[in-house]
């Protein structure tokens, strides 16, 4: 697992919010992005699905719960991939990115969010700032393969 954070970044002055993030990848390489609904910070921005870990949950448990709640899918195969810390104005987050390569069910926006399968490089905008590095990592992996 890779951890990415600026080397000179001081410890955050506020609590860290732990987040499980699902990078759902179809066999052809398309990735799923969702658009943040009205009423949430960064409404209208595109991001990978996921959400906050609840007390006592592992990253895998939170990911499975969040993808069921948000998309109506059951995770079949996932692996931890990368960790990124990002300082948003509303929260300091530690994002646990997991590649999800098999699931049961067809994703649909259960919280009113738009969904889009995208090939790399994605053409959707605006992108949530913390999604940008993950998309670059995916692109780098495909270029190296």
């Amino acid at each position: 697992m890779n951890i990415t954070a600026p080397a000179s970044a001081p410890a955050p002055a506020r609590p860290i919010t732990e987040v499980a993030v699902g990078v759902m990848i179809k066999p052809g390489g398309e990735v799923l992005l969702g658009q943040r609904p009205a009423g949430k910070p960064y409404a209208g921005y595109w991001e990978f699905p996921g959400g906050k870990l609840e007390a006592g949950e592992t990253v895998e448990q939170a990911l499975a719960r969040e993808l069921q709640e948000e998309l109506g899918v059951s995770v079949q195969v996932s692996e931890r991939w990368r960790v990124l810390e990002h300082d948003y104005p509303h929260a300091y987050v530690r994002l646990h990115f997991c590649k999800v390569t098999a699931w049961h069910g067809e994703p649909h926006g259960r919280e009113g969010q738009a969904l889009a399968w995208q090939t790399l490089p994605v053409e959707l905008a605006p992108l949530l700032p913390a999604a940008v590095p993950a998309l670059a990592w995916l692109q780098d992996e495909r270029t190296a393969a």
Side-chain angles (χ1 to χ4, degrees), residues 74-142:
S74 299
V75 174
Q76 303 296 306
V77 179
S78 71
E79 65 175 283
R80 290 192 192 203
W81 179 43
R82 303 259 185 135
V83 176
L84 172 72
E85 291 185 9
H86 191 86
D87 191 1
Y88 284 106
H90 67 283
Y92 189 94
V93 295
R94 181 178 296 135
L95 303 161
H96 299 267
F97 288 94
C98 301
K99 286 185 179 178
V100 180
T101 53
W103 56 89
H104 182 11
E106 185 61 33
H108 58 280
R110 296 180 78 183
E111 298 175 345
Q113 74 276 36
L115 300 176
W117 288 102
Q118 293 286 293
T119 56
L120 298 174
V122 302
E123 297 183 6
L124 295 174
L127 292 169
L128 198 63
V132 173
L135 289 164
W137 300 329
L138 285 170
Q139 187 68 47
D140 289 347
E141 286 182 3
R142 301 226 173 124

Side-chain angles (χ1 to χ4, degrees), residues 27-103:
E30 302 91 348
V31 296
L32 183 68
L33 294 174
Q35 191 173 38
R36 293 181 64 83
K40 286 192 173 186
Y42 288 89
Y45 281 67
W46 291 89
E47 65 178 346
F48 292 103
K52 299 174 190 166
L53 275 69
E54 293 181 354
E57 274 187 324
T58 65
V59 169
E60 292 80 6
Q61 289 168 334
L63 181 66
R65 178 183 50 75
E66 287 287 346
L67 295 187
Q68 179 63 47
E69 289 173 2
E70 289 183 18
L71 306 175
V73 299
S74 299
V75 174
Q76 303 296 306
V77 179
S78 71
E79 65 175 283
R80 290 192 192 203
W81 179 43
R82 303 259 185 135
V83 176
L84 172 72
E85 291 185 9
H86 191 86
D87 191 1
Y88 284 106
H90 67 283
Y92 189 94
V93 295
R94 181 178 296 135
L95 303 161
H96 299 267
F97 288 94
C98 301
K99 286 185 179 178
V100 180
T101 53
W103 56 89

